[in-house]
Amino acid sequence: MANSRFKSTCLLLAILGLVTCPVWAEPTDEQDNAQHPRLQISREFVEMAEELDTRFWHDKAQSILTDKLEHHKKLNENRAKNVILFLGDGMSVHTIAATRAFMGDSNKQVFFEKFPYVGLSKTYAVDERTPDSASTATAYLSGVKGNYGTIGVNAKVQRGDCHAATDSSTHTESIAQWAQEARKWTGLVTTARVTHASPAGVYAHVADRKWEHDGKVTKDGCSAELNIDIARQLVESPVGKNLRVVLGGGRANFRDKSMADEEGYAGKRTDGRDLIKDWQEDKQQQGADAHYVWSRSGLYNVDLSKTDYLLGLFDASHCSYHAEREHDEPSLSEMTEAAIDVLSRSENGYFLFVESSGIDGAHHATKARKALEETEEFARSIELARSMTSEEDTLIVVTSDHSHTMTINGYPYRRQDILSLAPNLATDEVPFTILSYANGPGFVNTYDDGGRMDLTNVDTTDPNFQFQATVPLASEAHGGEDVGVFASGPHEHFFSGNYEQTTIPALMAYAANIGPFAKNELRKS
C-alpha cells in the first residue's frame, strides 16, 4: 500500500507538472476481511474474568515494570564462578511460542523466558546464510565463525579438506579450554551422540562434522592418523580428556565394529580400539575416582560426591526422545543434575554445556509435538539448574544454534490445542494445521493426487504425525533467522540487544574473568 507521505509528494509534483501520479485504490472490504478475518467465537473458549478488566493488564504491566526497576537498581556485576550454557538445538522463537501454547495458553512462560535479560544472536556461517550445528557450535563456544560443516576451526578450513585442519594454527579455542586453563572443571551433557556437532564444539577440531569415528575419515579419502576423529579427540585431546563430565549417547563411535556394547550393538570403529577402555585406563593411571556408566540405574549407583570423572554413554547413537525413553535411560534433567553434582566439587568453579538435541531432530522430521515436548523437558532442566545454583555466582545462558522453518499460522482460537487444525478453512475449502513447515517430509500429509489433503478426521496430536509442509524434502531444513539468548546471573545484563553469535562466549568469559576476554586481557588490547 502506498505510503501517505509519498502520495502527498507525488501530488505536489503533479501540480507542478513534473510527474504523473498513479491511481491509488483504497482497500476493499473483501481485501480487509481476507487479511483480518472476523472469526466466530470458539465454543470451547472460556473467558478468564480478570482479563476483561483494564486494571488486570495495568497491574500486570506494573508488576513487570517494578521487577525491571528492581533489577536495574543494582546490576549483578559479580564474578561468575560458574557458567552453564544451555543449547536448545534448532529452538527457534516460533518453537518457544508454540511451547507456551502447548503448555496450555499463550500467557504461559517457558521457564527461561522469566530470565531478566533477553537478546538475539545472528547465526549465519562464513560461507552460508543458513548454518548448521557445527559452524554455530564453533561460534557460540569459541567466538569464531567458521564454514558450514566444520567444527573448532576458522574459515581457512573448507569442509572435508584433508589437510587444512591438521594445521593447528586454524584451530579455535573453546570456552571449555579457557575454563580449564583457569583451573575450573568442565563438562558436557547432551541428548545427542557426545561426538555430534554441538557437543564436539566443546573439545574437537575437524574439517567435517561427519568424522565422528575413524571409518568416516577414511571413507572420505583422508588419513585417520592425520585427521583425528572426534571420538578420539574426546579421549585423547587436551580439552577432551580433561572434561570431568561427559553424558549423552554415541557408544558405537568409541568401539571397533568387531565389538558389541552392553546392549549388544556393534561398534563403528575400524581401528580395533575400545576408546571407553582407553578412557578408563587413563583415569586409573591418574589415580582418579572415575566411572563409566551406560544406563540410568548405573548413573544412580555412582557416588557423585566422590567422583572426579564421569563418562555416561546411554545409547549406541542418539538418546531417545524424552517421551519415548526406556525406563533405564536418564532424562536430560537427570543428566544435568548429575553433572552439576560432580562439577560443584570444584573449588574454582566450572563450565558446563548442556544440549537438547531432540528439538532439532523432531523438527527435521516435521514432528512438531515431539519438538515441543523436548522444549518442555529442556526448560525443566534449566529450572532445575537454576534451583541448584545461586544467581550470585552462577551465570546461566540459554540460546539456540539456529532456527527451523516451522511457523504458527491461521487464526487459532485462544487456548486452542496448538497441535490441531486452524478454525478457518483455506480458499480450497480444506482445513490446515496451525503448525506447519516451509518444507520437509510432512509434505506427505499436505498434498495428494486430488490436491490438498483433507485432515478433518486425522489425529494431528499423535506424536508421530508429520505436520504439513509446502516443499517436499526428506528432512526439513534449518532456518536462517536470529535466535533468542536468555541470561540469568552475574553480568546477565550484557546479553541484551542484537549481536553476532560469536559474542556469546566472549560475554560469558568476561563474566567469569577467563580466557582472552578476561578483564586483564582486555586491558592489554
Side-chain angles (χ1 to χ4, degrees):
M1 188 176 293
N3 183 282
S4 58
R5 183 179 296 176
F6 174 74
K7 286 183 181 180
S8 301
T9 303
C10 188
L11 290 171
L12 177 60
L13 294 174
I15 293 171
L16 298 174
L18 299 176
V19 299
T20 300
C21 294
V23 177
W24 288 291
E26 293 299 322
T28 64
D29 289 342
E30 290 77 10
Q31 287 175 318
D32 193 58
N33 289 337
Q35 294 168 354
H36 312 97
R38 183 170 181 173
L39 303 175
Q40 295 180 353
I41 297 175
S42 170
R43 296 175 189 172
E44 300 175 357
F45 178 72
V46 179
E47 296 170 336
M48 290 193 285
E50 65 268 23
E51 291 191 352
L52 306 180
D53 190 345
T54 299
R55 187 68 190 174
F56 168 79
W57 299 105
H58 285 188
D59 287 346
K60 192 170 188 177
Q62 178 71 39
S63 175
I64 295 170
L65 177 59
T66 300
D67 186 56
K68 288 187 178 295
L69 290 171
E70 190 64 30
H71 266 93
H72 279 79
K73 279 182 182 178
K74 184 180 183 301
L75 295 177
N76 186 346
E77 296 187 326
N78 298 340
R79 178 176 175 178
K81 178 182 179 181
N82 313 308
V83 176
I84 307 176
L85 174 60
F86 280 91
L87 191 283
D89 198 318
M91 187 182 68
S92 62
V93 172
H94 285 108
T95 303
I96 299 170
T99 301
R100 289 187 219 128
F102 184 65
M103 291 164 57
D105 195 358
S106 297
N107 66 358
K108 302 284 186 181
Q109 276 189 305
V110 180
F111 175 75
F112 53 84
E113 290 185 288
K114 300 174 185 178
F115 283 6
Y117 290 91
V118 181
L120 290 170
S121 77
K122 296 181 278 188
T123 63
Y124 64 92
V126 167
D127 60 343
E128 296 286 348
R129 178 167 290 161
T130 302
D132 74 323
S133 295
S135 58
T136 51
T138 308
Y140 63 72
L141 286 166
S142 69
V144 177
K145 279 188 184 283
N147 291 321
Y148 187 100
T150 64
I151 303 173
V153 291
N154 62 30
K156 293 179 181 178
V157 178
Q158 298 295 320
R159 183 174 188 177
D161 190 315
C162 295
H163 304 289
T166 63
D167 181 352
S168 61
S169 69
T170 66
H171 295 181
T172 62
E173 296 179 353
S174 77
I175 188 171
Q177 179 175 338
W178 304 336
Q180 289 178 2
E181 291 171 349
R183 298 175 60 218
K184 294 181 181 293
W185 286 15
T186 56
L188 69 85
V189 171
T190 179
T191 52
R193 297 186 294 271
V194 297
T195 52
H196 207 235
S198 302
V202 173
Y203 59 87
H205 312 279
V206 288
D208 199 311
R209 59 178 290 173
K210 294 186 300 181
W211 295 349
E212 295 184 59
H213 60 83
D214 66 307
K216 287 287 189 179
V217 179
T218 55
K219 184 178 179 180
D220 284 350
C222 298
S223 166
E225 287 305 312
L226 294 177
N227 296 274
I228 308 300
D229 63 82
I230 298 172
R232 272 188 63 191
Q233 290 192 48
L234 177 57
V235 174
E236 299 175 354
S237 74
V239 176
K241 69 189 301 182
N242 284 309
L243 292 171
R244 295 288 183 145
V245 177
V246 177
L247 300 176
R251 284 193 302 263
N253 291 326
F254 291 84
R255 289 187 172 125
D256 188 78
K257 60 185 180 181
S258 64
M259 305 172 185
D261 71 7
E262 293 80 2
E263 295 182 299
Y265 295 102
K268 293 187 175 182
R269 302 194 64 80
T270 62
D271 56 7
R273 295 184 62 177
D274 182 343
L275 296 180
I276 297 173
K277 182 179 179 181
D278 292 347
W279 181 89
Q280 291 173 308
E281 290 177 349
D282 175 69
K283 304 303 179 276
Q284 186 177 15
Q285 290 172 7
Q286 296 179 36
D289 189 318
H291 299 275
Y292 162 67
V293 294
W294 59 273
S295 64
R296 181 174 183 267
S297 54
L299 178 62
Y300 276 86
N301 285 331
V302 174
D303 185 350
L304 301 177
S305 67
K306 299 178 181 178
T307 299
D308 298 317
Y309 292 90
L310 177 64
L311 173 63
L313 301 176
F314 305 107
D315 200 287
S317 185
H318 297 314
C319 295
S320 305
Y321 287 114
H322 179 70
E324 298 176 356
R325 288 182 304 114
E326 298 293 334
H327 71 280
D328 210 19
E329 185 177 328
S331 67
L332 181 65
S333 295
E334 290 169 334
M335 289 192 286
T336 300
E337 181 178 20
I340 294 175
D341 280 342
V342 173
L343 296 176
S344 295
R345 295 183 55 227
S346 170
E347 295 181 359
N348 297 312
Y350 58 84
F351 169 77
L352 173 63
F353 173 75
V354 181
E355 179 204 20
S356 172
S357 71
I359 302 170
D360 180 71
H363 277 320
H364 279 305
T366 60
K367 295 182 179 180
R369 179 179 187 132
K370 289 185 177 181
L372 305 187
E373 290 172 340
E374 293 295 301
T375 306
E376 267 198 305
E377 170 61 12
F378 180 59
R380 280 191 287 268
S381 303
I382 298 163
E383 184 172 11
L384 175 65
R386 186 71 289 175
S387 69
M388 293 178 69
T389 57
S390 169
E391 294 179 15
E392 294 303 307
D393 69 357
T394 302
L395 170 64
I396 296 180
V397 178
V398 181
T399 189
S400 176
D401 45 359
H402 54 73
S403 67
H404 274 274
T405 70
M406 187 195 78
T407 189
I408 305 170
N409 70 91
Y411 292 91
Y413 299 125
R414 174 77 179 275
R415 291 193 295 279
Q416 181 180 350
D417 187 344
I418 195 71
L419 303 174
S420 64
L421 300 174
N424 48 310
L425 299 179
T427 54
D428 58 4
E429 298 300 314
V430 176
F432 56 96
T433 52
I434 295 170
L435 298 178
S436 65
Y437 293 82
N439 55 61
F443 184 85
V444 298
N445 289 323
T446 310
Y447 297 97
D448 57 22
D449 294 338
R452 281 204 321 114
M453 295 175 64
D454 188 344
L455 300 178
T456 301
N457 297 315
V458 175
D459 182 9
T460 58
T461 67
D462 187 300
N464 287 309
F465 175 77
Q466 294 180 301
F467 279 73
Q468 294 186 306
T470 307
V471 177
L473 287 179
S475 178
E476 179 265 352
H478 294 169
E481 311 90 62
D482 297 352
V483 295
V485 185
F486 306 80
S488 167
H491 290 85
E492 59 194 9
H493 49 285
F494 278 17
F495 291 85
S496 61
N498 179 266
Y499 37 80
E500 296 285 0
Q501 198 168 40
T502 50
T503 308
I504 294 173
L507 298 179
M508 293 189 296
Y510 180 84
N513 199 36
I514 59 176
F517 300 99
K519 293 180 181 179
N520 59 327
E521 293 296 326
L522 290 178
R523 293 193 194 100
K524 292 178 183 179
S525 60

